[in-house]
Amino acid sequence: MTSSSRAVLAPLYEQVRNATLALVAPLAPEDCVVQTMPDVSPTKWHLAHTSWFFERFVLESALARSYRPFDSRYEFLFNSYYNAIGPQYPRHQRGHVSRPTLREVVEYRRHVDRSMRQLLEEAPADLVESHAFAIELGLNHEEQHQELILTDIKHVLCTNPLRPAYAATPAVAGTETALEWLPFDGGLIELGKDGAGFSFDNERPRHKVHLENFEIASRLVTAGEYLAFIRDGGYRRPELWLSDGWSACQREQWFAPLYWVSTGDDFTMLTLSGARPLALFEPVCHVSYYEADAFARWAGARLLTEAEWERAAASAPVTGNFVESGFLHPMPSARVAGAAPAAAQLFGDVWEWTASPYLPYPGYQPFDGAFGEYNGKFMCNQLVLRGGSCATPGRHISASYRNFFPPDARWQFSGIRLARSPHRAPGAPA
Amino acid sequence: MTSSSRAVLAPLYEQVRNATLALVAPLAPEDCVVQTMPDVSPTKWHLAHTSWFFERFVLESALARSYRPFDSRYEFLFNSYYNAIGPQYPRHQRGHVSRPTLREVVEYRRHVDRSMRQLLEEAPADLVESHAFAIELGLNHEEQHQELILTDIKHVLCTNPLRPAYAATPAVAGTETALEWLPFDGGLIELGKDGAGFSFDNERPRHKVHLENFEIASRLVTAGEYLAFIRDGGYRRPELWLSDGWSACQREQWFAPLYWVSTGDDFTMLTLSGARPLALFEPVCHVSYYEADAFARWAGARLLTEAEWERAAASAPVTGNFVESGFLHPMPSARVAGAAPAAAQLFGDVWEWTASPYLPYPGYQPFDGAFGEYNGKFMCNQLVLRGGSCATPGRHISASYRNFFPPDARWQFSGIRLARSPHRAPGAPA
Amino acid sequence: MTSSSRAVLAPLYEQVRNATLALVAPLAPEDCVVQTMPDVSPTKWHLAHTSWFFERFVLESALARSYRPFDSRYEFLFNSYYNAIGPQYPRHQRGHVSRPTLREVVEYRRHVDRSMRQLLEEAPADLVESHAFAIELGLNHEEQHQELILTDIKHVLCTNPLRPAYAATPAVAGTETALEWLPFDGGLIELGKDGAGFSFDNERPRHKVHLENFEIASRLVTAGEYLAFIRDGGYRRPELWLSDGWSACQREQWFAPLYWVSTGDDFTMLTLSGARPLALFEPVCHVSYYEADAFARWAGARLLTEAEWERAAASAPVTGNFVESGFLHPMPSARVAGAAPAAAQLFGDVWEWTASPYLPYPGYQPFDGAFGEYNGKFMCNQLVLRGGSCATPGRHISASYRNFFPPDARWQFSGIRLARSPHRAPGAPA
Amino acid sequence: MTSSSRAVLAPLYEQVRNATLALVAPLAPEDCVVQTMPDVSPTKWHLAHTSWFFERFVLESALARSYRPFDSRYEFLFNSYYNAIGPQYPRHQRGHVSRPTLREVVEYRRHVDRSMRQLLEEAPADLVESHAFAIELGLNHEEQHQELILTDIKHVLCTNPLRPAYAATPAVAGTETALEWLPFDGGLIELGKDGAGFSFDNERPRHKVHLENFEIASRLVTAGEYLAFIRDGGYRRPELWLSDGWSACQREQWFAPLYWVSTGDDFTMLTLSGARPLALFEPVCHVSYYEADAFARWAGARLLTEAEWERAAASAPVTGNFVESGFLHPMPSARVAGAAPAAAQLFGDVWEWTASPYLPYPGYQPFDGAFGEYNGKFMCNQLVLRGGSCATPGRHISASYRNFFPPDARWQFSGIRLARSPHRAPGAPA
């Protein structure tokens, strides 16, 4: 980042931090404490953790002893997983912690914001510059937590028998779109973030991968298509499933995507705006990798690899209805504001499970220091998701961004795009 | 209850219901949501459940269709364990429920209170009379939950790394009191609640039990005595423990009573008023039955049976410093107010584990209808505790009241009183 | 025991030890290794443990260094639960231990037997005398394990999908017997083992208990009666169950006694002699305390207390068909031989769950030394069973013998006898 | 396979089946029943399952009704995981099954062998031909289970406190070998089984992969090098571990490879021939992927990808001491005989964890029918191991064979080979 760091970062800091708080506006303090499963973190925890990130990695480093931490005990409570920093409060018990209260956490945010503003506005340029990366990382980090706040509060609200809504939603009229198969040439392509500018360490280095020709679906799998899978016995036919997937399916008694509620012969869908009937033309959402994989097998197709996905995303111009389908997720930046996500959801953009385990790219170098724990240590037992969802801040929608979750995760805004290899024999399925 | 039910119950209703709300005054909404272990219920749940009790067992019965339930979905959420009424939200997930919020629950209470007041003040005498028992049971029930609110919030606050206090506590100056052995004659005695007046079904019928002569300690076991047990290897010597107790001790890694925090060679004690040094002359508190039993064995003594306890409690006049020791827990009625419990605790009154499993008395008849589930179905795998604690509302301190918990429960205000059989050989321990 | 110890013990030793081995005759080595649930111990373990008991508590004490242990590592493997002796191999992993093999364990038994014979026949009288108690305890202990061998191998064989039989069984023709209610007077009775002669420490001291008048059923509850309970929804009606019992019923998905296999509308029963149709007039067996208690509640009756049981067992002469019903279990001594138990079972004698938790009698003194762990430390969370079963060696059938198991145990030969309080109102159930 | 199938398969069948039985010779029946953890199957189960494979997929298909299954109930017991065939006895309870006994299972093998011989020798050529693939798959399958028999019995014997040996072992004199880095050129290479001949479906199709230049270690990581990792705090430094690996390390309390027993400052190693001191120059064995990955990070290197491994394995001639190090595992075929494995182990050949998740190759087609479950459904949550171990039958040592296990598996003969990218800056580690 150049000497204009101050000019760029100061307004961005305000924007991102405000956007986070805006997400909390519709919530009661009680909503912000609850942890409905180990993967979910309380909203309050997200608010505090993202502030701690700036406190610990920027303020304490840049201002040293002249910075007074808000409460020294917060490090134990709000350090997520940085072993290099110190021990952490157990993740699965985050919902046991009533104090600090939401109000106290907001005060904590203000304390950090005041100091950050002071740093960004008044500190010597070289001090700002030397912390520009940490600040930029902190802002990207905060945006990741903005999506998690929405994802987690959806679980909190939707598993409540009273089914409260997060926000009202405008009516949406979906329409059917025919699925087309878009062909892409293979060959030796390049994968990974190129050039300068911020990126996460897991997006680099750019490297060569050999691909065969492939075809991808012009749009995501819809709820209606997924319903056909269910009605064809998809959840009762082990031959469609990976072995671990079938175990998960039986152990967890899956019968439909998360948040689909059986109402006799039909389904109701729980959303951030409450329960509503299935919208058959919307993309199916809240499926695990196991379900995405089983659906693809049922459909006689397969999931994309992340190299295929990135190849397709980087290709221009694109044939067919590719752009219209939202593949590149050209979400309005307004989405980061609090009111929009539930509405955006309705537009049907979801993370796309790929068939690619989350691995380091060849020559991968983790960030330095404690930041090295940001991504690298999670490169096992997870699958890559690409694209971005209706809950993803716009700056995170990019062709090289790599999201990742374990194959049984369903509470994310995750869906399915199909792929296939060309030159199939006539009469082959799909 | 006579025709004066209305006159008695109306003011009592106000008093008890207000006392419950007073307990919540020092708490933040966030405190009232959290469930730190399966045995703990959120404060919010206690407030709602006790209101549901009146709604379901009094208002819906007495007023029938003219009563409008506040929210028909609350029955599923706030029915504790009455299978005769219907299914219940899973107990161990009560901490997952952010809605209704504390404010909404308080509104629910007001809704119920308005209807109850109307019933108590305006309904025909015979209608009040026919529900007098349910109302009186509901008030006793609510007082039991007052103690649970304090017990549970203590767990919520004390397991928080920030160690917030529930209330400030006046300084207390304890003094050492010598232990005396108070002798009681055996013979055929009567046990259980006698005469008219409210009692729980488990206190009746009054029945005969044969006792041998016995002696009881004139005061409770102190923290100082318990510390000696710890320092003598009490938690490392299996020969002192019941087999299941030793398993629990190792599995849970017990090393001291709950809320004692090791500080190197010494201990700090967590209380409703925060952390403070051990007060060696106070009764030890927050021990399980297993620990109480192991301590007694170490001391060459034993715990009382509940028949011995009730025999002693009923005896008058009492020799020695029996009364002063608080055996009958003559707590000021002020204790039911919100501010007092933490202070009262300091006076060292705790429930006393007896050696008696919780069983029906011979000829036991459960309450009628759904109330039959109140006590009877729990008469297995639990031990009786007698006396009452600093958190017990004064009306519940009685010679026949039977409290009960599983032998590994430690989060109750539970302590130890020793007993022994007389005429031991010279030189025998204790 | 008098100076005739040698004369009494030497032949008894041979008889008891041979009886144990006879039980193993029908088994393959593979049968003797398997542990089908944590409560079950492999046959091989029983054979070794009972030998270790004599080695450790008699031979090593009496012969000191002149005794050479068979294998010093066996102490860790075959010490059951004597913490005073040392650490123990984890109980739930006993089925992981293939070595020593069955053959090696039988060699171990012979080694111990040779030394025991030498001691009993050649050692100075006072040395025998001073170990007479340990030897007699060892023999009683071994007889307890004889029953456990049968109980455990029944679980091993019956949970095998091939349903192998332990032994062939003669045909049995049961007949219906009308249930009568036998009245007993209450009053101050004496309970516990009286006079000299061997007893377990838990049978003493004899002490006074006050009883009200009561009535007991002249025979055990039959399979046919239990079937009526099942068909009346017994396993689906929570109001019949203790709370913990209902939890166990749902968690374990109980629908009938253990070893009853649903065959559509009917049941098959798995026995030591293979599968066969229900014999409706036989006593129901393999029910937990929870089921016994639920059945009694359904029948409008209750279980006996152990004081009532012992009062009835000690009473003579007995009215009705009391003796014929086998209440006192006058089993032929031939039952201890290997071939008989499966046949005997068919005669329907089972342990009778009482309503009494397993507690020390007033003034209870555990055996000295490590033997103190034999009974005392288990006096929590268990219920007393009285009488004896078809698998119980005859010497253990006595009016004062106290068996005990946790309330959810079903793999023992445990059944139900009903009791009630007299003077019921006309028309009352049962 | 050509018309000579009969000529090839008949003798091969005898050889492979006999080799399996030879592995069991040193075992007692008791050893063959035990399941010491869910991943381990009893020897008896392996013997029966491999026979069932021929019975079900060859005999019942080829001979139809003229073949009489040995026992129709065996299908439920010995079907491993073929959902297309039917339900399966729960895997984690295989150690609960004492019957059929070892003797009965051997009879079952003979029954199957007789029918297979008859088929191979007497059936029409086209019938043999049409089942040639199933037979060849069955033999390869049986060889896989030969390795598992050794792997599993090692766990059974080594977790027994008596530490019995499977077989005696000749003395071995290891010598230190310097580690060299062998360079390989990258580029577009081909990966996967080529040409005709049997292969598993997961080895195909051959396909192109782009590789950068890389270097691999000329030999496996030794026990001595791994000891240095341990002594440098390898098991206490989270920065060296993947996040899931660190969790496993703490949860399972790992402190060294499986079968290393701490003896104060040093370690003893448990092997198939009993306990012996660490041999510092042997390859380290019985490490999980997590440990292999952590070691590589500690050493400043990384693991190979499977493409790199296969590139190196296919390359000829190889520089350095590559061939001598046994990289291609040119094991004498005598290794499949019972006596050799323990000795061979000592020669230090182990499976090599790669950094590659187990995935379908592009264009992967599972075997037809039920065989489709053989490999494909396990392509998730596992890592590929390459090479083969001292327990691997010689025919399975090939450049394209893909073994796979979850990242926490330690009971396999699994070790570590390091790789690195060339052109490191001077002074870089490793």
Side-chain angles (χ1 to χ4, degrees), chain D residues 96-373:
Chain D
H96 290 186
V97 181
S98 65
R99 310 285 181 96
T101 62
L102 177 59
R103 183 189 307 264
E104 289 163 342
V105 166
V106 170
E107 274 175 43
Y108 176 39
R109 287 183 72 84
R110 290 196 180 122
H111 176 90
V112 168
D113 286 349
R114 275 191 301 272
S115 298
M116 283 296 297
R117 253 173 236 136
Q118 211 171 352
L119 176 74
L120 284 166
E121 291 164 13
E122 303 172 16
D126 59 343
L127 189 62
V128 173
E129 205 57 40
S130 65
H131 289 82
F133 171 72
I135 296 169
E136 192 159 12
L137 181 60
L139 293 172
N140 278 276
H141 171 258
E142 179 128 2
E143 289 183 319
Q144 291 180 316
H145 279 276
Q146 287 169 4
E147 174 153 4
L148 290 174
I149 285 173
L150 288 170
T151 309
D152 288 355
I153 203 68
K154 182 169 182 178
H155 197 268
V156 167
L157 297 177
C158 290
T159 59
N160 187 315
L162 304 183
R163 298 187 184 167
Y166 171 75
T169 312
V172 173
T175 56
E176 187 164 11
T177 312
L179 184 151
E180 295 178 44
W181 290 99
L182 310 176
F184 288 86
D185 290 337
L188 204 61
I189 65 141
E190 294 216 329
L191 184 66
K193 178 75 173 183
D194 198 13
F198 176 84
S199 72
F200 288 103
D201 55 2
N202 62 10
E203 302 174 59
R204 297 182 187 262
R206 192 160 171 88
H207 62 286
K208 293 195 184 69
V209 172
H210 175 76
L211 287 183
E212 299 295 323
N213 297 346
F214 64 99
E215 298 175 358
I216 70 168
S218 57
R219 59 159 174 75
L220 295 162
V221 170
T222 64
E225 289 166 337
Y226 201 85
L227 189 60
F229 165 73
I230 296 174
R231 297 213 160 129
D232 194 37
Y235 283 91
R236 297 189 307 271
R237 292 166 53 186
E239 71 271 21
L240 298 173
W241 294 71
L242 288 164
S243 182
D244 287 355
W246 183 242
S247 297
C249 178
Q250 294 193 293
R251 186 179 60 244
E252 307 291 337
Q253 301 187 285
W254 292 343
F255 61 90
L258 183 63
Y259 303 136
W260 286 29
V261 178
S262 176
T263 57
D265 283 351
D266 224 324
F267 290 96
T268 288
M269 195 165 74
L270 306 181
T271 75
L272 280 170
S273 51
R276 60 178 176 74
L278 285 191
L280 296 180
F281 304 136
E282 285 179 15
V284 67
C285 189
H286 295 297
V287 292
S288 64
Y289 173 77
Y290 293 132
E291 288 160 298
D293 171 84
F295 177 89
R297 192 167 291 108
W298 173 80
R302 59 173 176 83
L303 304 179
L304 286 77
T305 65
E306 66 171 328
E308 289 170 340
W309 194 97
E310 193 164 325
R311 163 79 181 88
S315 172
V318 180
T319 63
N321 59 354
F322 189 56
V323 166
E324 294 84 61
S325 76
F327 185 66
L328 291 175
H329 300 266
M331 289 293 157
S333 61
R335 274 197 311 142
V336 293
Q345 182 198 340
L346 297 175
F347 297 124
D349 291 292
V350 297
W351 287 100
E352 304 179 13
W353 283 110
T354 74
S356 298
Y358 180 47
L359 292 177
Y361 285 161
Y364 167 68
Q365 289 296 333
F367 287 145
D368 287 339
F371 291 154
E373 298 186 61

Side-chain angles (χ1 to χ4, degrees), chain A residues 314-352:
Chain A
S315 173
V318 180
T319 63
N321 61 353
F322 190 55
V323 166
E324 295 84 59
S325 75
F327 186 66
L328 291 175
H329 300 266
M331 290 293 157
S333 61
R335 274 197 311 143
V336 293
Q345 180 198 342
L346 296 174
F347 298 126
D349 291 292
V350 297
W351 286 102
E352 305 180 12

Side-chain angles (χ1 to χ4, degrees), chain A residues 38-106:
Chain A
D39 285 333
V40 162
S41 291
T43 312
K44 198 158 65 71
W45 186 89
H46 287 296
L47 295 179
H49 164 68
T50 47
S51 301
W52 170 81
F53 195 96
F54 287 109
E55 183 175 65
R56 180 64 182 75
F57 293 120
V58 179
L59 296 173
E60 294 190 10
S61 165
L63 306 181
R65 298 212 181 150
S66 74
Y67 175 74
R68 186 186 53 81
F70 186 76
D71 187 322
S72 62
R73 301 167 304 174
Y74 283 12
E75 179 149 299
F76 174 65
L77 276 174
F78 300 124
N79 174 3
S80 51
Y81 54 62
Y82 297 92
N83 294 314
I85 302 299
Q88 304 117 37
Y89 184 83
R91 176 179 179 139
H92 66 284
Q93 295 181 353
R94 287 177 186 164
H96 290 186
V97 181
S98 66
R99 311 286 181 95
T101 62
L102 177 59
R103 182 189 306 263
E104 288 162 341
V105 166
V106 170

